[in-house]
Amino acid sequence: MLTSVSSFPTDAPSNLGTVVSVRGSVVDVRFSQRLPSYLHRLNAGEDGSVVIEVIAHLNAEVVRGIALTPTSGLARGSPVVDGGHSLKVPVGRALLGRMFNVFGTPIDKREPLGEVEWRSIHQAAVPLMQQSTQSKILETGIKVIDVLAPIERGGKAGLFGGAGVGKTVLITEMIHNMVSQHQGISLFCGIGERSREAEELYREMQAAGVLDQTIMVFGQMNEPPGARFRVGHAALTMAEYFRDDAHQDVLLLIDNIFRFIQAGQEVSGLMGELPSRVGYQPTLATELAALEERISSTSTGAITSVQAVYVPADDFTDPAAVHTFGHLSASIVLSRKRASEGFYPAVDPLRSSSKMLMPMIAGQRHYTTALAVRQTLATYDELKDMIAMLGMAELSAADRQIVYRARRLERFLTQPFFSTEQFTSKPGRLVPLEAALEGCDRILNDDFADYPESALYMIGDIEEAIP
């Protein structure tokens, strides 16, 4: 899946220039007629295959740009054409089921797009007056997330987890439920993804039957930093069409938001900007906010984002992590330990949290039930060492009761997924929030104390535990 240049429409008169210098991805270009505007797209080289984005005006004749494609073959004196506009990507329903690069070119080896509308990737965020002021919970149909770390409709949730703990499976399931429950569109944006991961995800979504309501956009790890830095903006432009024009809800999945910051750091270094704390770009907060603030809800639709977050060296005081957390309304933490114990999805109920879990937003009942579930699981976690050393017999009757409830809750919060049916032979379950809360309440009230723990494992609503 190599980067290729799209056949975007050219609607401006030719403005010709020549290359003055090439230093890696940094290209200086002289224009004798007029200077291209900031963020304009330039095409350089004899065949126009090198795409450059204008980053700075050096003087009255020379602009400095960052190449979004490899600059091999470019030399002093090479011709440059000002496209007359910024980078554009296609939008519309024709994009569904397809995979694109930062230029809006299909990279899935299928037929060309045909006649579609093209829009600039640089769009302003929705004005505050037009944004929805109501905080609503977006039901995912996944019990452990809806009960303990509910996602905000039009908000941003962080997905934390290492390799092999089920991030991709969870993302695929969310896409499936978004399509079936909310008749929404899903858009997957891979920033700094490995080519192998992109290809595997494409095939998995195809197998799960969710690809026809999904758009995939990739700026891969082997591409120049300029391409990786702009792929998030390209994906958001596609998502904004469905929110603002088609009036549909969009689930935007970003993997990985840290790679966006990292690409910005590389671009800043190439431009010779003075580094800030820990070597990050001085414009880190502004660049991240410009991307994140475009993710919002209006009266007609919402873009809800789930972002995989890499925390450098597990240091939560790192500037990249600090600025990212400031934009998130929910944190979903995946645990390798829970995955090894067979609890899927492997969401850690004690480390996951959400700003939506307040009585005035989630409702008093949801808040009370979630608090009781969390307290029960936290007490069980504290008692595990004692149980391992002395056994259950040494616990008080009250503590034993808590352990029994907690073990049943742990199993009830597991769930068979639609996206894993072919591997587990268990039909997937989409559980409404009300049914998930009802099940937790009944377990906390000891209604299932006489049932074996295994009866609550990998089921949908609580009624399935009754033979």
Side-chain angles (χ1 to χ4, degrees):
M1 299 191 299
L2 298 173
T3 303
S4 59
V5 182
S6 67
S7 54
F8 65 96
T10 54
D11 47 17
S14 293
N15 183 21
L16 303 177
T18 54
V19 172
V20 177
S21 69
V22 182
R23 297 184 307 282
S25 292
V26 179
V27 183
D28 291 352
V29 185
R30 175 174 282 110
F31 286 87
S32 55
Q33 292 172 284
R34 64 182 184 276
L35 281 186
S37 299
Y38 177 62
L39 298 180
H40 264 203
R41 169 181 175 149
L42 312 178
N43 285 70
E46 297 298 333
D47 56 355
S49 61
V50 180
V51 180
I52 301 166
E53 186 175 57
V54 177
I55 298 294
H57 289 177
L58 298 186
N59 56 45
E61 289 188 340
V62 180
V63 297
R64 178 164 289 171
I66 286 286
L68 277 68
T69 53
T71 55
S72 55
L74 212 57
R76 287 184 65 182
S78 295
V80 180
V81 180
D82 172 17
H85 53 71
S86 56
L87 282 166
K88 289 186 175 184
V89 291
V91 296
R93 302 197 68 83
L95 277 61
L96 292 172
R98 304 298 301 270
M99 189 193 291
F100 300 91
N101 62 15
V102 68
F103 305 110
T105 306
I107 52 174
D108 50 12
K109 296 183 179 178
R110 288 166 56 191
E111 71 280 357
L113 275 180
E115 286 296 319
V116 288
E117 182 188 348
W118 291 74
R119 288 185 186 174
S120 168
I121 67 169
H122 301 288
Q123 302 285 346
V126 176
L128 282 174
M129 292 294 289
Q130 295 175 24
Q131 289 188 23
S132 173
T133 55
Q134 292 183 324
S135 293
K136 292 182 181 177
I137 289 175
L138 180 79
E139 286 190 35
T140 63
I142 300 168
K143 289 181 286 188
V144 65
I145 292 176
D146 287 347
V147 173
L148 296 174
I151 293 173
E152 179 185 9
R153 180 179 178 269
K156 296 162 275 274
L159 186 62
F160 303 84
V165 293
K167 283 202 300 293
T168 303
V169 172
L170 198 57
I171 282 171
T172 311
E173 188 70 8
M174 282 184 179
I175 290 172
H176 176 279
N177 294 356
M178 185 73 180
V179 172
S180 60
Q181 195 176 8
H182 300 280
Q183 288 76 50
I185 301 298
S186 297
L187 203 151
F188 185 91
C189 174
I191 305 177
E193 282 280 285
R194 299 171 184 85
S195 306
R196 171 186 58 78
E197 290 176 337
E199 194 264 350
E200 284 175 4
L201 187 66
Y202 181 83
R203 290 183 186 278
E204 282 172 21
M205 288 186 177
Q206 207 169 25
V210 298
L211 188 63
D212 59 344
Q213 289 296 305
T214 306
I215 301 168
M216 304 177 80
V217 189
F218 288 99
Q220 292 152 190
M221 198 176 270
N222 63 329
E223 294 180 21
R228 285 181 271 125
F229 188 52
R230 291 303 182 206
V231 71
H233 301 86
L236 263 168
T237 301
M238 295 175 181
E240 284 164 346
Y241 167 85
F242 290 100
R243 180 192 65 191
D244 301 333
D245 294 42
H247 306 312
Q248 286 184 280
D249 284 355
V250 183
L251 181 65
L252 174 65
L253 302 128
I254 301 176
D255 190 6
N256 186 304
I257 198 66
F258 174 75
R259 305 284 176 216
F260 166 75
I261 295 170
Q262 201 174 40
Q265 183 182 11
E266 290 178 51
V267 169
S268 176
L270 288 166
M271 294 296 292
E273 293 177 355
L274 196 67
S276 182
R277 186 170 154 236
V278 202
Y280 286 106
Q281 62 272 40
T283 50
L284 164 61
T286 314
E287 289 168 357
L288 185 62
L291 184 78
E292 296 280 12
E293 290 307 305
R294 289 172 66 181
I295 301 168
S296 60
S297 60
T298 65
S299 57
T300 56
I303 299 175
T304 305
S305 175
V306 178
Q307 308 173 4
V309 183
Y310 168 71
V311 181
D314 291 334
D315 178 14
F316 284 81
T317 64
D318 187 274
V322 170
H323 285 291
T324 304
F325 293 147
H327 294 279
L328 301 179
S329 56
S331 299
I332 301 163
V333 182
L334 297 179
S335 161
R336 193 174 302 281
K337 184 172 181 292
R338 289 185 67 77
S340 67
E341 291 169 350
F343 295 126
Y344 295 104
V347 176
D348 190 322
L350 299 179
R351 294 170 66 199
S352 301
S353 62
S354 171
K355 293 175 183 174
M356 294 294 100
L357 205 54
M358 294 189 285
M360 63 284 292
I361 297 173
Q364 188 62 48
R365 188 215 174 176
H366 186 172
Y367 175 74
T368 306
T369 302
L371 205 62
V373 169
R374 203 182 290 275
Q375 285 175 339
T376 304
L377 293 173
T379 306
Y380 175 44
D381 201 53
E382 291 168 6
L383 293 171
K384 278 181 178 177
D385 286 343
M386 190 184 296
I387 295 167
M389 289 187 291
L390 305 173
M392 287 282 287
E394 296 300 315
L395 298 180
S396 66
D399 282 348
R400 277 203 298 274
Q401 201 67 36
I402 288 171
V403 170
Y404 293 145
R405 285 180 200 143
R407 289 178 63 85
R408 282 165 174 76
L409 280 170
E410 278 187 333
R411 281 149 183 78
F412 177 64
L413 291 175
T414 61
Q415 187 171 337
F417 280 176
F418 293 95
S419 53
T420 58
E421 281 181 3
Q422 64 267 41
F423 307 114
T424 63
S425 302
K426 286 180 180 286
R429 294 284 187 273
L430 192 151
V431 184
L433 174 59
E434 194 56 41
L437 292 172
E438 176 71 21
C440 291
D441 280 340
R442 292 181 67 179
I443 292 170
L444 290 166
N445 292 331
D446 293 330
D447 289 4
F448 288 83
D450 298 330
Y451 286 74
E453 293 172 359
S454 57
L456 296 160
Y457 180 68
M458 281 292 175
I459 61 171
D461 60 48
I462 198 72
E463 296 298 326
E464 292 182 34
I466 302 169

